[in-house]
Amino acid sequence: MTDDAVPDRSDLRASDADRERVAEVLRDAVAEGRLDMAEFEERLEQTYAARTYRELAPITRDLPVPGAAAPPVVSLHKEPSRDGGWAGRIVGGEGSSTWAVAVMSGFQRKGRWTVPRRFTCVAFWGGGEIDLREADFSAGEVEINCFAVMGGVQITVPPGVEVVVRGIGVMGGFDQRESGVVGEPGAPRVVVTGFAFWGGVGVERKMTRAARRQEKLDRKAARRELHASFRDDVQEAHRRMLDGHKDLLRGHGLGLGPGERRGRREERRERRHEE
């Protein structure tokens, strides 16, 4: 096989997750002062307009990866699929992102990322979104420390995760609805702490889109199976009713063929003659 037959991987189409990883690097860069707001907005627009890895790569070429000196490189290989168990999602390590800041702006941590043992975020006249539904965890218990000043932070956890809320609110508040719900065996524990002043920290429990889609398909399959079973039961009851009706007609000499009716008449005549 010649080299011309091998496709250039940089020409492969980028996914939404790829674009979001690049956007996260840009948000960290503007928070660290590496980019001003004009550069950030320009590069962010280029990120969401990019269609291939070739278009994404130059956007973060001059920016360091958090915790490393090398520039961020968008992965061209599909990550291995999960086995679905909690043990496979508690991976150890330091976490892929340890803090986030939103000053009159916003931040997001979502998709495939590793939650550190302690994650700190600040929202000042801005908002943040922390989505743990597809995340890995560096430990069995992680802490999310939120400071919301005239802003807000929304935390989304998957079903099965235990949540403990210990934040303090002054003219603001921390959502306590999910606190105290017993977690599944082996699931991580998420402790939400911090301070909210004229702001709020919300916590909600939601399934991923894929899980919701699968649940919907399962419900449809169950309804189809129920309808098929009901249809079979009705048909069986109707068949038994017809069989019973035929037996009743035969008992009265009805519903028989001409030969059977003649035979019944002859039997009755013989019985009357013998009597």
Side-chain angles (χ1 to χ4, degrees):
M1 181 180 293
T2 63
D3 293 340
D4 293 339
V6 180
D8 187 350
R9 300 189 68 86
S10 62
D11 289 330
L12 295 178
R13 303 282 290 190
S15 68
D16 289 340
D18 296 325
R19 284 184 281 271
E20 187 55 42
R21 283 195 291 269
V22 173
E24 183 175 336
V25 173
L26 295 178
R27 295 187 188 99
D28 288 342
V30 74
E32 295 168 358
R34 301 180 189 275
L35 296 176
D36 58 30
M37 289 304 298
E39 291 175 312
F40 169 72
E41 292 174 358
E42 180 181 354
R43 295 195 189 195
L44 192 64
E45 184 177 352
Q46 294 173 357
T47 298
Y48 289 121
R51 291 294 176 266
T52 65
Y53 291 116
R54 186 188 300 276
E55 296 173 348
L56 278 178
I59 297 175
T60 57
R61 184 168 291 161
D62 59 345
L63 298 175
V65 173
V73 177
V74 178
S75 174
L76 301 180
H77 303 280
K78 184 176 181 181
E79 297 181 4
S81 59
R82 298 176 185 272
D83 60 6
W86 287 114
R89 296 181 62 177
I90 301 177
V91 297
E94 298 298 326
S96 56
S97 178
T98 58
W99 62 281
V101 176
V103 178
M104 293 183 288
S105 60
F107 70 81
Q108 284 185 329
R109 295 294 184 272
K110 60 190 301 185
R112 289 295 300 273
W113 66 295
T114 301
V115 186
R117 294 175 183 271
R118 182 180 176 88
F119 180 85
T120 301
C121 60
V122 177
F124 177 73
W125 277 17
E129 179 184 358
I130 303 173
D131 193 334
L132 309 182
R133 289 177 293 176
E134 298 180 7
D136 292 324
F137 298 82
S138 60
E141 179 174 310
V142 298
E143 179 179 338
I144 300 178
N145 194 20
C146 303
F147 295 92
V149 180
M150 292 179 285
V153 177
Q154 182 64 42
I155 302 172
T156 305
V157 301
V161 171
E162 181 184 1
V163 179
V164 178
V165 180
R166 297 173 180 165
I168 299 173
V170 176
M171 290 184 287
F174 281 72
D175 192 346
Q176 298 282 342
R177 288 175 296 177
E178 300 298 338
S179 183
V181 178
V182 179
E184 295 177 356
R189 187 171 186 245
V190 177
V191 180
V192 180
T193 63
F195 179 75
F197 177 73
W198 278 14
V201 177
V203 182
E204 63 178 344
R205 194 182 303 271
K206 292 173 62 177
M207 293 188 295
T208 62
R209 291 182 179 178
R212 290 199 303 270
R213 191 182 309 114
Q214 185 60 47
E215 186 180 61
K216 186 176 181 180
L217 292 175
D218 292 342
R219 285 199 301 266
K220 287 183 177 179
R223 284 198 297 268
R224 285 196 298 268
E225 183 177 352
L226 180 62
H227 291 164
S229 177
F230 178 74
R231 184 174 60 251
D232 293 342
D233 291 343
V234 170
Q235 291 174 350
E236 178 65 18
H238 185 63
R239 185 187 62 79
R240 291 179 180 178
M241 182 183 68
L242 291 177
D243 291 344
H245 187 58
K246 290 178 181 178
D247 293 340
L248 181 63
L249 292 176
R250 288 193 182 96
H252 290 81
L254 302 175
L256 303 174
E260 291 177 304
R261 286 198 294 271
R262 284 195 299 270
R264 292 287 181 90
R265 286 197 297 269
E266 290 175 359
E267 290 177 3
R268 286 196 294 269
R269 282 198 297 269
E270 289 176 2
R271 285 198 298 268
R272 286 198 297 271
H273 181 70
E274 290 175 358
E275 293 173 354

